[in-house]
Amino acid sequence: MRHPNIVEFEVWGDYGLFAEPILRVGGEKCTYQVPTYETLKGILSSVYWKPTLIWYIDAVRVMNQIQTEVKGIRPIHYNDSRNDLSYYTYLKNCRYQVRAHFEWNENRPELAKDRNENKHHEIAKRMITKGGRRDIFLGTRECQGYVAPCVFGEGEGFYDSLAELSFGLMYHGITYADEAYSTQTQAAMTAHFWYPVMKNGVISFLRPESCPLHKRLGDMRMKVFGADTGNFSGLREFGEVT
């Protein structure tokens, strides 16, 4: 199904680090070969996001050759001010085309008056043209990224002629409490895992609820918006979030 509010953009940067969350606790980090669903969703949320909507990443196209580079890093300890020498494995010369769309967040009925599809779609496209509302990072803060509009599928990609490439079991993303889609994901953080396959340079993403493996990470409360909560105090007066 092709949604009417689709956005297409290109994101690129000198380096990227798309690591499994368990590797982010400390020590040495090693990137996946391709960006995760959660990373691309985070990039798009940095471009434009409102609690009224949920972004869904439909597909990513890998434009440049997958290459890695190992760097010596001196991360600071979590429990004191000392540091150690660690080796981080980054992707280099990253460039991707992304197609995504948004749907209304049914967990937020208090924001129903803000469900103006044309408004959010036009703002999102303008923000992509402007390079995003917030800084763009390719997986981690030291990997600065940039975005610009594109037509998904245009231009030559390095893997256009590669029929199929599988990446094995891979982290997909996290469903937070405010984006719950079932009773099992309500009031919880739920991680999803899947088996991505790249076909002619394109990875088509499953929706979070369609992933074959799920893991409940813990309890989580959903933040409620409204004038009586102190969040978006003008919500009732203006009838929408601006």
Side-chain angles (χ1 to χ4, degrees), residues 150-208:
C150 77
V151 176
F152 192 90
E154 279 194 355
E156 183 179 352
F158 188 85
Y159 297 98
D160 290 352
S161 59
L162 182 62
E164 187 172 301
L165 178 62
S166 300
F167 296 98
L169 180 64
M170 185 171 167
Y171 167 72
H172 182 276
I174 291 179
T175 292
Y176 296 94
D178 61 340
E179 297 184 356
Y181 54 81
S182 66
T183 55
Q184 290 77 20
T185 55
Q186 290 176 352
M189 293 175 60
T190 307
H192 312 291
F193 300 85
W194 71 314
Y195 298 89
V197 177
M198 182 171 68
K199 297 182 179 180
N200 300 111
V202 176
I203 298 174
S204 297
F205 286 102
L206 295 176
R207 293 172 65 94

Side-chain angles (χ1 to χ4, degrees), residues 128-142:
I128 291 172
T129 302
K130 296 289 187 180
R133 283 186 165 181
R134 294 181 289 168
D135 289 343
I136 305 300
F137 304 108
L138 297 182
T140 187
R141 180 166 286 274
E142 67 265 27

Side-chain angles (χ1 to χ4, degrees), residues 38-144:
E38 190 69 23
T39 294
L40 297 174
K41 183 178 177 182
I43 289 172
L44 190 48
S45 296
S46 292
V47 172
Y48 178 72
W49 176 83
K50 286 293 180 68
T52 313
L53 55 87
I54 300 174
W55 283 112
Y56 289 90
I57 307 301
D58 299 318
V60 62
R61 184 178 178 219
V62 182
M63 301 300 291
N64 290 348
Q65 183 180 11
I66 297 172
Q67 302 178 80
T68 59
E69 181 176 319
V70 178
K71 293 185 177 185
I73 306 293
R74 297 189 68 86
I76 298 175
H77 288 177
Y78 281 91
N79 56 350
D80 56 48
S81 59
R82 296 180 301 168
N83 55 34
D84 285 329
L85 176 63
S86 295
Y87 289 99
Y88 289 8
T89 303
Y90 296 87
L91 288 173
K92 65 178 183 178
N93 191 23
C94 302
R95 183 169 159 243
Y96 310 99
Q97 291 182 353
V98 182
R99 178 193 291 139
H101 73 278
F102 66 81
E103 298 176 14
W104 302 130
N105 189 346
E106 300 296 340
N107 296 296
R108 297 202 176 278
E110 71 273 23
L111 301 180
K113 291 185 179 180
D114 190 40
R115 294 176 184 174
N116 185 324
E117 183 173 14
N118 185 63
K119 179 188 80 169
H120 290 295
H121 191 210
E122 292 301 318
I123 294 175
K125 290 190 292 184
R126 288 202 302 272
M127 290 304 101
I128 291 172
T129 302
K130 296 289 187 180
R133 283 186 165 181
R134 294 181 289 168
D135 289 343
I136 305 300
F137 304 108
L138 297 182
T140 187
R141 180 166 286 274
E142 67 265 27
C143 300
Q144 182 72 45

Side-chain angles (χ1 to χ4, degrees), residues 185-237:
T185 55
Q186 290 176 352
M189 293 175 60
T190 307
H192 312 291
F193 300 85
W194 71 314
Y195 298 89
V197 177
M198 182 171 68
K199 297 182 179 180
N200 300 111
V202 176
I203 298 174
S204 297
F205 286 102
L206 295 176
R207 293 172 65 94
E209 60 267 30
S210 300
C211 290
L213 298 172
H214 309 274
K215 173 66 175 178
R216 183 186 173 99
L217 301 179
D219 297 334
M220 183 181 188
R221 281 186 182 177
M222 187 179 79
K223 188 174 184 179
V224 179
F225 293 95
D228 55 345
T229 66
N231 301 317
F232 295 118
S233 57
L235 183 63
R236 288 181 179 173
E237 179 181 354

